[in-house]
Structure formats: structure tokens, C-alpha cells
Amino acid sequence: MFVKKSWNTKAKKRHYQYHIAESYRDKETGQTRHKLLMNITKLPDHVIEAIDESLKKGEKVTSEDVKLETKDTLRGAGLLGFYRAWRHAGMDKALSDLTEAQRQSVLAMTAGRVFDPGSKLALKRQLKDSLLARVFSKKRLDEDELYGVMDKLEDNFYSVQENLTEEDPEPTLFLYDTTSTYFEGTEAEEGEYGYSKDKRWDRHQIVVGLVTDKEGLPKALEVWKGNTADRSTVAEQVRCLGERFNLNRAVFVGDKGMYSKAGIEEITRSGLDYLLGTDWHKQKKKLEELTPTQRSLFDKQGVVEWTESDEKGRRVRYVGCVSEGGEKRAKKRRVGKMSEVEEQLDHLKETASSGGYYSWTRLAEKVNNILKEAGVKDLYQVEIEPLEEKEVDSPDPEKKTKLKLSYERDQEAVNKRESTEGKYLLETTLSEEDYSPKEVESLYKRLGKVERAFRNIKSFLNIRPVYHYKKRRVRAHVLICFLGYYLVKKMELELREEGFAGEVVPLLRDWDRLRLVEHTLKVGGHQREGWQWSLGEMGQQIKEQIQDAGWWRSICAYRRSLTNSMED
């Protein structure tokens, strides 16, 4: 007798079956055939393996001969999937300046960001029921040890990034963007008030710059003080890229917040091509300089292009694009703001005419602030006149008196604003021969991959708020989140090839519900101790998901490797 493995394919999925079978010879044909005696498909894998071993040794097996005793239960397939990504990405090589024990701590902190973001103090509790905690050297998860490893990791802030990018020495596209993340408290060494992209103006913050390739895979990371302007980071980031990569035929892509003359000078000096969104003032000026006929081409063609010479005589190519969604949002915002402004002006008009509450100067200043704050100052014509007769001939602008406030929409200005809504302008050195206007627009839209990276780092990996206060710990914390997203993105790219379209982090957390059970299995006279999957109904479903992804065999291999090291 032996264990026979077979399968069938249903809905493009392979379903395995296991039977206890025996061989016999067909009397008519003389061929060897198999007779299926018992279906053991629903038994756990480790039981099937034990039965197979006993049958190979010639032992008889009945249901009374199989005894299974369970002990500890550990998490889980998701964590092993993360460990698989760690090994496949060559993280031990990237962290080669750290000891093996220190690399274990970095692995634990990175896994902690992915599965259950929390404090360093809580990490030991979070991972205590994992295989990793069992195989790590002692004290790897102690809080003081983790902080010491963070200090060592920060010493290698740049070398770690460089080691990760050795496999791709010449990227052709650098997508660059920045974000901010805030602190709890005001004692952080790098913390400053600044423009908060988290809308937390009440918190000190840092600015984080991230470069990715065309697929959104992180390539470079930097951290600045919280009051650093986006455009001032470009030159430094380009210099860093020049030291790390061969920049021949590479393109630097950034949004309008990165646009500055100094940044462009550094980009061109480094030999990079660039594709940047123009800043608001230049964009507004250029679009308004176009004739109505030229602006109408945006709506007809989707994109338009033209070239000009800058102040240094260099050829500059402009590509104008239109966004239907952007146009709707801009129109809705403008109409809403104008409605709010007119409601405030009507109230102010009534107040100013009913008593001496304002001087001419103070009323003009208030009106100006209302229009400026709403961003519609150029869309209105406003007049302020005294109402009292004695003030008509020679009014004192600083004296409080009754005033007549009148306003009207500048319809020509409104029409001009409406004709530019939803339109944006890109500036690039990419040639028309190599990139059509549509291709330029498509390259620029890839910046969404960096924005998505920041969303993942902020949501799933919980980079904010930052509770560290020393500069080196803050930078190490950001680098750990970077490493976490790097591995998540590597897994995502691999899973996409298998048709998976969801988010990786929730998937790993779901897989982690498939747990490992320590057992002692007795089959006849055979006894074996080990770890196997707990394959109930839910576990079987998770196993099938992992098999569909093509990861099951390698995850099981890493499970065996880790459990064997525990036995050693």
C-alpha cells in the first residue's frame, strides 16, 4: 500500500486529493493498476506524510493507530510570507554592516510596522507567539536593544539604500515627491512647524522625500526639518542620485511643488532630463498669455505643446494638459468660494452703512482679506464711498464713519479664470522625437505611484505620529518604514503577475490567521515531533490563496528551515 497523490483542475485552480491505494495487475491486459482504498484528503498534511512514511516501512495503519498530541500554536503564514520577501530581496546583504543579531532586530521592527504598528516596548509582546521570536538570539526584542540597533541602522542610512539598488544600476525614470509627518510633543530635534500635508498645523513635523522608479519601487529616501520647502530639496536629492546611479538617459519627474530655477539648474548640470509641473504663478501667466483659440485646443486635443527659449537662450518645451476631473473640482471650488465671499460682503455692506464701525482704510483691508483668502481677489471690482455729506469732499481714510460698500463681478476675469480651470502646464527637456505630448503626460501621471507609496506608509505602516525625539532615532524610524514599504512593494509586483489586485498588507495580515501547531504524531510504531499548519476550513481557504499566488512551497520551505534551527 502507498499514499497516492492526484489532482483535478476546476475554475483554473488545481485541487489535490490523497488516497491510500494498493497496486494490482489487471488479468486481462497485464497492466499494473491502482485500487483506491481510503480517501485521506481532509487529513492535515503532516498526518498524510506520517501515514506515507509508515506505509513505506511496511507498517499497517488503521484509524486507531494514528494519535496526535498538540502543544504550542504560533502565527502564521503571513509572517512567513514577509520573511520570504525579506530573503528574496537580499535584505541581509543590504544590512551587511550590521551583525546577524542586529539584522534580526531590524527584521522584527520592520515586520512590526507591517503587521501591528506600535511602540518598541510593545513589539516583544506582539511577536512573542511567532517563529521569528523563537529563533532569534536572546534579547533581540528588548526595548534597549532595539534602540541600540536603530542607532546603528541610522549610521548606515545611505549605504542600506545603495545596497538595495545595486540590482538596478541605471533606472530611466526617477519619480520624486515629498510629504510631511508630525510628532507628538515639541521636543524632537528635527521637528519644526511648517506646511503640513497632514493638516496638523498644531504639530512639529519633518519633511520626507521619496524617489521611486516607474513601478513605484522605492529607490532613495531623505529626511529634512519640518520647515523645509519642497522646491529647496530638489538640488540635494539630485546630487544624491548622481552619486548613486549612472544618470545617462534618466528622467527626473516632480510636481509643481518641486519647480524652482535652482532645482532645474542642478538637474540639467547633473545630465538629467526633467519633467516638472510648473508652479502656480508661472502656469497662470503662461495659460493667460495664450489666446482663447489656443486654450480651446486643450479641450479639443487633450494635450498641446509649444517651445520657447528661456532667459539663457535654452530651448524649453511646454506641454499643456487638461483634466476633466480637475476642471470640475476647480469650477465647484470657485463657485462655492464666490458664493461665500458675496455672502460675507453683503453682511459687511449692511454693517458699514448702518453706523461708524469702520474707517475707509480698515474696511478696504477687511474686504481685501476676504477676497484674498478665498482666492478670488481678481474676480471682483469693489468701491468704498463715504455716506455722510461732510465726509464726501475730503474724507479722512482713518476716521470711522458710515460707508457705502459696493461690488460687482468682473465677468471678463471670471471667463478668463474659467477658461484655464482644469488645465495644467508641464515643462520638460524631453525631445519631441522620443516622447509625444501624450507620452509626456503619461510619464507625469506616474507620480501617483509615489503618492500611493506615501499613503501606504502613513496608513498601513503608521509612520505618524512620530514618538522619537533624537534626530538619529527619527531618521531610523523613517528608514524602517521605508524598508517595510520596499518589501511590500516587491511582494505587490510579484503578486500582480498572478492576477492579485488588492493591497498586500491586509492580505498578509489575513494570511497570518493560518497558524502553526507544534505536535507529537504517533502512527503505529512511528513517532514524530514537529510543526504543521492548522488546516481547518478557514486554514484550507488561506492555503489555497497562497497556492494560487505560487508561494506555498517556498513558505513551507522557510517554515521547515526556521523550525529546524529551533531544534538545533
Side-chain angles (χ1 to χ4, degrees), residues 77 511 514 542-552 555:
W511 285 2
L514 175 53
I542 294 174
K543 176 185 175 181
E544 290 176 2
Q545 288 180 1
I546 301 174
Q547 286 176 329
D548 290 342
W551 289 19
W552 181 251
I555 283 180

Side-chain angles (χ1 to χ4, degrees), residues 230-484:
D230 286 353
R231 58 175 57 88
S232 68
T233 68
V234 172
E236 181 178 346
Q237 196 65 276
V238 170
R239 283 193 293 271
C240 290
L241 292 173
E243 295 171 0
R244 195 175 305 173
F245 299 100
N246 180 354
L247 298 185
N248 293 332
R249 301 286 295 170
V251 184
F252 184 91
V253 184
D255 66 13
K256 59 181 180 295
M258 308 301 163
Y259 190 89
S260 70
K261 290 183 178 180
I264 291 175
E265 287 291 338
E266 183 62 33
I267 293 171
T268 54
R269 188 194 66 78
S270 299
L272 278 164
D273 280 312
Y274 69 85
L275 170 58
L276 298 173
T278 55
D279 65 21
W280 186 84
H281 295 288
K282 183 169 186 176
Q283 179 172 289
K284 182 174 182 290
K285 178 183 177 182
K286 289 290 184 184
L287 290 176
E288 289 181 348
E289 286 175 355
L290 299 175
T291 66
T293 302
Q294 289 172 324
R295 284 196 294 267
S296 68
L297 290 176
F298 282 72
D299 301 313
K300 293 178 181 178
Q301 300 176 186
V303 292
V304 297
E305 67 170 330
W306 68 93
T307 59
E308 296 180 8
S309 295
D310 63 12
E311 58 273 13
K312 293 187 177 182
R314 292 177 302 195
R315 173 186 167 280
V316 178
R317 181 186 180 195
Y318 293 101
V319 176
C321 310
V322 62
S323 166
E324 292 184 7
E327 183 177 3
K328 291 178 181 178
R329 289 191 297 272
K331 182 177 181 179
K332 182 179 179 180
R333 182 168 56 249
R334 171 177 54 82
V335 171
K337 288 296 183 181
M338 291 180 72
S339 178
E340 291 175 11
V341 160
E342 290 174 8
E343 185 177 342
Q344 293 179 61
L345 292 181
D346 286 339
H347 177 73
L348 197 58
K349 176 180 179 180
E350 183 178 346
T351 303
S353 64
S354 62
Y357 299 106
Y358 295 99
S359 66
W360 189 96
T361 301
R362 179 70 186 97
L363 183 60
E365 180 182 355
K366 191 170 183 65
V367 170
N368 182 68
N369 288 340
I370 290 173
L371 295 175
K372 187 176 181 180
E373 185 176 341
V376 294
K377 182 180 177 181
D378 58 327
L379 304 185
Y380 287 92
Q381 295 178 345
V382 179
E383 291 186 2
I384 301 175
E385 300 174 325
L387 282 175
E388 297 182 0
E389 293 183 4
K390 59 182 180 179
E391 300 287 348
V392 173
D393 296 331
S394 57
D396 182 354
E398 304 298 333
K399 181 181 179 181
K400 291 183 178 181
T401 185
K402 292 183 178 181
L403 296 167
K404 178 184 178 182
L405 170 65
S406 57
Y407 68 88
E408 65 177 354
R409 295 183 178 184
D410 186 336
Q411 196 56 48
E412 183 178 349
V414 171
N415 293 341
K416 200 171 187 178
R417 171 80 70 89
E418 188 174 9
S419 69
T420 63
E421 287 173 345
K423 299 175 178 63
Y424 58 95
L425 193 62
L426 308 178
E427 182 178 320
T428 183
T429 55
L430 296 173
S431 67
E432 297 91 332
E433 293 79 12
D434 293 332
Y435 293 90
S436 69
K438 282 288 187 182
E439 289 172 329
V440 170
E441 180 187 31
S442 178
L443 283 182
Y444 184 75
K445 287 182 177 180
R446 286 179 179 266
L447 280 174
K449 293 184 180 294
V450 192
E451 296 170 359
R452 183 171 178 268
F454 282 135
R455 285 197 299 271
N456 276 271
I457 290 172
K458 288 185 173 183
S459 58
F460 294 129
L461 306 188
N462 279 26
I463 191 175
R464 60 184 181 187
V466 181
Y467 291 95
H468 302 286
Y469 301 114
K470 293 182 179 180
K471 177 180 178 180
R472 60 192 301 110
R473 300 272 172 82
V474 171
R475 287 168 62 84
H477 169 72
V478 175
L479 181 57
I480 288 168
C481 291
F482 168 88
L483 295 178

